[in-house]
Amino acid sequence: MEEGAKPDQEEVSIVTFEVGGERFGVDVSNVEGVIEPGEIIRMPRAPDYVVGITNLRGKVIAVIDLAKKLNLAGAGDAAKTPRKIVVVQAGDLKAGILVESPDVIRISQSVIEPSPVKMPGESGGAFVRGIAKLESGLVVILDIEEMFGRWAEGVGVEVVRQEDNKEQEA
Amino acid sequence: MDMDLSQYRDLFISEAVEQIDTINKALLELESKPEKSELIGEIFRSVHTLKGMSATMGYDPLTDITHELENLLDQLRIGALPISGRVIDLLFSAVDTIGGMVEEIARGETVALDWKKIEEVISEISGAVEEIAPDIADKLVSAEGKAGPPDARAVSEGRAGGEEIQLSEAEKRRYLSVPGTRVLRLTVVLDEDCVLKSVRVFMVFRKLAQLGEVIFSIPPVEELEDEKFEREFIVMFATQKMPEAVQRALLGIAEIADVKAEKVLEAGVTQGGEPPEGMTEADLGAVARESVRKSSTIRVNIDRLDRLMALVGEVIVNRARLEEIAAQSGIQELKDTLDQTARLTSELQDEVMKMRMVPVENVFNRFPRMVRDLAKKQGKQVRFLMEGKDIELDRTVLDEISDPLVHLLRNAIDHGVETPEEREAIGKPPVSTVRVSAFRDRNYVAIRVEDDGRGIKASEIFDRALAKGLISAEQREALADSDLLSVLCIPGFSTSEVADDVSGRGVGMDAVKNKVESLGGSVTIDTSPGLGTSATLRLPLTLAIIRALLVGVSDEVFAIPLRVVEEVKIAQPEDIRKVGGKETLISREKVLPLIRLDEVFDCRTKLNGSEPFQVVVIEYGDKRIAVEVHNLIGQREIVVAPLDIFLRNVEGFSGATILGSGRVALVIDPASLVVNL
């Protein structure tokens, strides 16, 4: 299917959401779903960007405050405003991101440009796939595989990329 | 074609790996006991199976190499080629090549292989075969053919008397070497008015091919097919089936008047009832058991078992929830039904657990080969012993500890065992002993790797750690011998001066320790300089579902694995003593370090310390601690879900669980509580 279309005309579905006053997007293939936050249990000794853990239909997942992770200006009030959780996944890994006003958009690949500026924070933009310029504003497209990969790095585990996974299943 | 077969690929791989294991095991034994010729039969059998499987799957390179290997083994079997060190090495390298091919198949969709290497191995094998005198080789060819070997087989006039039929010694050995195999002499009589005799013969042979292996027939198959016989013919037949079953199967074919099945030979029991040479009563027992076990097992994909396990886990979670509701509702009937359900789910859980238990043998089996290769490479002489191979562990646990065990064994041989010269110089026997043993230890399975090598001098290890900058001079000063393991487990510490492919890549004991602890186990190390080292892994029997004590701290709930809970009690504030600035609790005249969970986990509310409080006494490894909690919630069976990889290095927790209420609770890792004492 993908082979036929020219890359610049290809449309992609992106789940967008707001964190710390900025709009982010994640490719729909990396999103398992958007859920209402249930009870989030604090995890002692976890890094500060981990809000806690929660029960996602019988599975325990971590809930992440992306604003803290990326050192965004609007960080700090994650737990206060009513929010949703976008469950992102790559390979076997899953995590919830606390967000505001999630949405799904379809955009042409061609509006996504390589990021001109580095994101603040420890990983310096490495997990930004690109910036989509839309009429409504800019959307920072995140590379979830890369993001999980970096988090997992310290633990010495390789994150299986989505494409690899599909091949194995075929 | 490939598409149709792909579903069998996993089955092929697991069976191939088993066959390779069998071959390796037999080869190792053959190397030390070349006179035990039945081993060749065993190897032949496995190679033959591999060949058949590979041909079916269309893995031509594998078929080729196993075919060549069969030829070589044939020579060995009839004694045309002596079993020399060179032959053994060749066989080992062939098996490695086959193993490599199977791995390729496991990894990729198609077999893309280093053909050059395979051709080398094949030509080496066939080269070895060609070295034998041509006349012997000719005999071989005829032995393989259906006409039967020239030796000791008298055939008289199309009808044969019982006494005249004999198997060659090589054939006897071959069939006797496979447990559960019996050789039957089948006398098949066709109906008097049978018209198409050759068709019936064909059907008989086709049926027999499904049930075992035709050794030869009287008259030979060619003559039977040409209908050069009256009504009766004899088939020598090797099978795992009972004579009656074979008989019944043949009588099911039309126009067969009668079938007699006589047992001529049986593996483990010869005609005279005497066990074959070298076989003890115990062996025979094992043979019998093995054949029984083989016939009553099926293969199940491990993913299915995992899924089943997860489902049972979910049922148990729901049961807990239902029990809570029942307790609130006060309906007696509901409670009774739930009691019944509880009993059933417990049984179900037990059964699923048992299904997942596999003997440690599955992992141990590859060690002899590895030890042999390592020792040979380093010019060391090692007697390798394995004990407790039938001890069972949860499949997941076993998979996970395979690498740690390999690492410990490598350590033992690389660093522990001395060269024969070194050993003799200090009055030790030149051959060292390395032992892997598994045994039950209460609720744990312990696996110990020990050697009688040079041992570890703790002070040398400490100095090396200091030289590498892994510890400071002050830390070095404070170290005692009992700190050896923790120093060995500093990430990046490796006792090998030079990194090589065998050990010393800087991922060492720390990886072993982390892995074992992540499974809820522990590592201990015992060493005496000059005498040897032993490392012991203590592992929980099963992983996923455990009994836990739920405790409340502030408004949070944590689970403590019940297996580490020694007692639960109320402590009085006056039982607290400060020792070296740290709080301890006097309990039963013992002084236990006191850990306050509300402080350790930085909980919102803390106890004021002036009132009696609840403590849980935890015993972990050789340490005991008192843990202060705010309240006890009770015992539960919980399903421990591992934490996501990026939360796994958060200290203090081994996983999380979902309680009956749907709430998540963290499972406390006792190791992290005792670690800094």
Side-chain angles (χ1 to χ4, degrees):
Chain A
M1 216 169 80
E2 281 163 32
E3 284 165 4
K6 282 182 191 158
D8 58 337
Q9 288 169 349
E10 201 183 308
E11 283 213 331
V12 284
S13 292
I14 303 283
V15 175
T16 67
F17 48 81
E18 217 164 278
V19 167
E22 289 190 37
R23 198 133 192 100
F24 291 90
V26 173
D27 192 288
V28 80
S29 66
N30 286 118
V31 176
E32 196 191 272
V34 179
I35 58 169
E36 295 289 335
E39 193 179 9
I40 299 172
I41 302 294
R42 180 185 76 100
M43 181 154 185
R45 297 173 168 180
D48 67 340
Y49 60 84
V50 175
V51 184
I53 52 180
T54 196
N55 174 2
L56 170 73
R57 294 188 296 275
K59 281 207 150 193
V60 179
I61 60 163
V63 181
I64 305 292
D65 181 354
L66 200 59
K68 272 213 180 97
K69 179 73 189 162
L70 300 176
N71 283 339
L72 299 180
D77 53 355
K80 285 175 196 153
T81 33
R83 295 183 176 223
K84 305 247 185 210
I85 293 177
V86 172
V87 180
V88 292
Q89 48 128 356
D92 286 342
L93 297 182
K94 268 188 200 132
I97 299 176
L98 269 185
V99 304
E100 282 167 53
S101 46
D103 195 10
V104 184
I105 53 168
R106 276 188 78 76
I107 54 170
S108 163
Q109 222 19 309
S110 58
V111 300
I112 303 176
E113 290 172 13
S115 169
V117 284
K118 295 220 160 205
M119 292 294 296
E122 50 182 285
S123 34
F127 50 72
V128 173
R129 188 173 279 167
I131 308 266
K133 285 182 187 153
L134 306 176
E135 279 167 28
S136 55
L138 296 182
V139 177
V140 180
I141 312 287
L142 298 171
D143 184 340
I144 298 297
E145 272 107 6
E146 187 65 33
M147 185 162 88
F148 280 4
R150 283 183 176 259
W151 291 350
E153 229 165 50
V155 204
V157 165
E158 236 176 89
V159 175
V160 183
R161 289 209 157 241
Q162 202 73 9
E163 301 90 72
D164 299 341
N165 229 20
K166 274 183 191 146
E167 253 170 52
Q168 281 175 357
E169 279 166 23
Chain B
M1 188 69 184
D2 273 358
M3 291 303 283
D4 296 334
L5 287 172
S6 64
Q7 54 175 315
Y8 300 113
R9 202 187 63 173
D10 289 348
L11 192 64
F12 168 83
I13 291 162
S14 68
E15 281 192 14
V17 168
E18 253 174 44
Q19 298 296 349
I20 291 168
D21 268 357
T22 311
I23 299 172
N24 263 321
K25 218 161 109 188
L27 269 178
L28 279 168
E29 206 182 336
L30 191 64
E31 189 177 36
S32 54
K33 294 176 204 144
E35 72 284 355
K36 222 174 156 188
S37 51
E38 65 263 30
L39 290 168
I40 298 171
E42 197 175 307
I43 298 167
F44 186 93
R45 195 98 189 160
S46 287
V47 170
H48 186 75
T49 308
L50 269 174
K51 185 173 106 173
M53 287 158 46
S54 316
T56 313
M57 294 294 290
Y59 297 133
D60 293 339
L62 251 180
T63 316
D64 291 349
I65 193 169
T66 42
H67 178 75
E68 294 295 337
L69 205 51
E70 261 188 3
N71 286 346
L72 175 66
L73 286 163
D74 242 342
Q75 314 284 355
L76 294 170
R77 213 169 60 181
I78 56 151
L81 191 68
I83 297 164
S84 61
R86 190 188 144 224
V87 167
I88 298 270
D89 282 345
L90 180 57
L91 287 172
F92 270 130
S93 93
V95 175
D96 283 349
T97 310
I98 292 171
M101 291 162 119
V102 172
E103 248 171 59
E104 289 267 344
I105 292 169
R107 235 178 297 136
E109 318 76 42
T110 49
V111 196
L113 291 152
D114 183 357
W115 263 100
K116 223 180 128 221
K117 205 189 151 208
I118 293 157
E119 274 167 15
E120 266 171 37
V121 174
I122 292 181
S123 68
E124 216 180 322
I125 299 171
S126 52
V129 175
E130 275 157 27
E131 273 172 30
I132 309 148
D135 58 316
I136 302 178
D138 283 348
K139 264 190 209 161
L140 262 174
V141 173
S142 70
E144 273 300 290
K146 286 166 185 155
D151 61 317
R153 195 174 298 159
V155 180
S156 65
E157 297 289 306
R159 284 184 63 104
E163 307 315 310
E164 294 148 329
I165 303 165
Q166 282 175 25
L167 293 174
S168 71
E169 282 307 306
E171 278 168 332
K172 274 189 198 162
R173 274 203 303 274
R174 173 171 164 202
Y175 294 114
L176 285 179
S177 66
V178 183
T181 301
R182 37 183 85 80
V183 175
L184 306 178
R185 197 181 66 194
L186 304 169
T187 311
V188 182
V189 185
L190 300 183
D191 274 352
E192 231 169 295
D193 50 356
C194 173
V195 195
L196 291 168
K197 290 199 287 185
S198 62
V199 172
R200 299 308 160 206
V201 168
F202 173 76
M203 289 176 82
V204 166
F205 277 80
R206 195 177 59 178
K207 183 64 79 196
L208 288 177
Q210 292 165 5
L211 301 171
E213 192 180 336
V214 172
I215 306 168
F216 62 84
S217 66
I218 299 167
V221 184
E222 296 79 33
E223 288 177 32
L224 289 173
E225 281 171 351
D226 291 344
E227 306 196 348
K228 290 179 184 162
F229 68 107
E230 295 294 314
R231 282 180 56 207
E232 196 178 316
F233 61 94
I234 290 167
V235 182
M236 286 302 247
F237 182 61
T239 181
Q240 303 254 344
K241 301 264 185 294
M242 297 300 288
E244 298 74 37
V246 176
Q247 202 175 7
R248 231 177 299 127
L250 293 184
L251 283 171
I253 300 169
E255 295 190 312
I256 302 287
D258 189 26
V259 176
K260 273 204 276 296
E262 286 168 71
K263 202 155 58 184
V264 181
L265 279 174
E266 187 159 12
V269 189
T270 51
Q271 281 147 306
E274 282 288 303
E277 221 180 320
M279 251 198 173
T280 64
E281 291 286 321
D283 284 342
L284 291 176
V287 165
R289 271 198 307 281
E290 190 143 343
S291 48
V292 168
R293 201 179 62 195
K294 263 184 191 155
S295 62
S296 60
T297 56
I298 57 161
R299 273 168 204 276
V300 178
N301 189 322
I302 186 71
D303 291 345
R304 288 238 167 120
L305 279 188
D306 285 346
R307 177 86 190 115
L308 187 57
M309 178 80 138
L311 285 172
V312 170
E314 280 170 38
V315 171
I316 287 173
V317 168
N318 277 313
R319 185 188 83 194
R321 179 81 188 109
L322 277 174
E323 278 167 351
E324 272 175 34
I325 297 169
Q328 285 160 18
S329 73
I331 305 172
Q332 192 54 39
E333 254 185 308
L334 178 58
K335 279 185 196 159
D336 293 346
T337 317
L338 271 175
D339 282 346
Q340 183 81 344
T341 311
R343 196 178 51 74
L344 288 171
T345 43
S346 297
E347 269 179 44
L348 183 62
Q349 183 196 341
D350 278 355
E351 285 305 314
V352 174
M353 288 296 201
K354 277 186 211 143
M355 274 161 68
R356 296 174 51 89
M357 300 292 272
V358 284
V360 293
E361 190 177 5
N362 289 14
V363 161
F364 279 21
N365 272 348
R366 39 194 190 103
F367 295 157
R369 177 67 203 280
M370 189 193 91
V371 170
R372 170 203 181 261
D373 289 355
L374 276 179
K376 204 165 179 184
K377 203 163 152 192
Q378 301 177 26
K380 291 171 179 174
Q381 291 179 10
V382 175
R383 188 166 66 111
F384 182 59
L385 302 175
M386 296 193 292
E387 284 163 18
K389 285 198 287 188
D390 51 350
I391 296 279
E392 292 187 326
L393 264 179
D394 184 275
R395 159 87 197 210
T396 316
V397 182
L398 194 61
D399 281 351
E400 295 280 315
I401 55 145
S402 170
D403 285 348
L405 283 176
V406 165
H407 185 85
L408 291 177
L409 269 174
R410 284 179 161 175
N411 267 354
I413 293 159
D414 293 346
H415 310 309
V417 169
E418 312 93 332
T419 61
E421 300 77 43
E422 284 174 79
R423 290 179 67 89
E424 282 186 315
I426 51 170
K428 282 179 165 182
V431 180
S432 63
T433 303
V434 172
R435 183 197 319 264
V436 177
S437 47
F439 50 94
R440 285 289 288 272
D441 175 14
R442 284 188 296 170
N443 271 331
Y444 287 84
V445 163
I447 300 183
R448 181 170 292 158
V449 175
E450 50 194 324
D451 64 70
D452 62 350
R454 58 173 70 94
I456 303 171
K457 285 199 189 80
S459 58
E460 281 179 13
I461 297 293
F462 297 161
D463 290 342
R464 196 171 291 150
L466 179 62
K468 285 187 177 192
L470 295 170
I471 52 172
S472 66
E474 298 88 74
Q475 281 173 318
R476 166 69 187 88
E477 277 310 297
L479 288 173
D481 280 4
S482 56
D483 296 318
L484 176 63
L485 184 65
S486 21
V487 175
L488 285 174
C489 290
I490 297 174
F493 185 88
S494 165
T495 51
S496 196
E497 295 294 309
V498 192
D500 59 43
D501 65 330
V502 174
S503 61
R505 275 163 302 179
V507 289
M509 282 302 290
D510 62 317
V512 173
K513 188 165 169 269
N514 287 341
K515 176 59 81 183
V516 172
E517 286 180 355
S518 77
L519 295 169
S522 62
V523 184
T524 50
I525 196 158
D526 247 322
T527 184
S528 15
L531 293 176
T533 305
S534 92
T536 308
L537 312 183
R538 264 161 49 99
L539 302 155
L541 283 175
T542 54
L543 260 193
I545 303 179
I546 61 168
R547 285 199 75 79
L549 180 67
L550 298 187
V551 298
V553 183
S554 179
D555 53 353
E556 298 171 63
V557 177
F558 298 97
I560 302 174
L562 206 59
R563 60 170 196 271
V564 299
V565 174
E566 200 184 66
E567 67 169 324
V568 174
K569 58 183 282 183
I570 305 280
Q572 304 300 324
E574 54 268 29
D575 292 335
I576 299 174
R577 299 272 185 286
K578 289 242 178 189
V579 176
K582 285 182 178 166
E583 279 187 321
T584 61
L585 186 76
I586 313 290
S587 170
R588 296 177 199 270
E589 284 149 32
K590 292 226 167 76
V591 181
L592 303 176
L594 176 65
I595 288 173
R596 291 177 180 273
L597 273 193
D598 49 11
E599 281 170 19
V600 172
F601 292 153
D602 196 22
C603 296
R604 261 190 296 274
T605 52
K606 299 185 171 84
L607 293 183
N608 59 25
S610 61
E611 279 164 41
F613 57 98
Q614 190 80 50
V615 292
V616 178
V617 178
I618 287 179
E619 185 186 17
Y620 185 78
D622 53 356
K623 290 182 174 144
R624 287 168 83 228
I625 52 172
V627 178
E628 170 243 31
V629 301
H630 294 185
N631 59 302
L632 295 175
I633 296 165
Q635 285 183 29
R636 294 287 146 76
E637 270 181 333
I638 59 165
V639 181
V640 183
L643 290 167
D644 263 334
I645 196 78
F646 32 77
L647 292 180
R648 214 166 278 173
N649 50 5
V650 174
E651 232 177 75
F653 308 101
S654 57
T657 187
I658 297 170
L659 302 176
S661 59
R663 191 181 173 169
V664 176
L666 285 157
V667 181
I668 292 175
D669 172 17
S672 72
L673 294 179
V674 302
V675 73
N676 290 321
L677 297 175

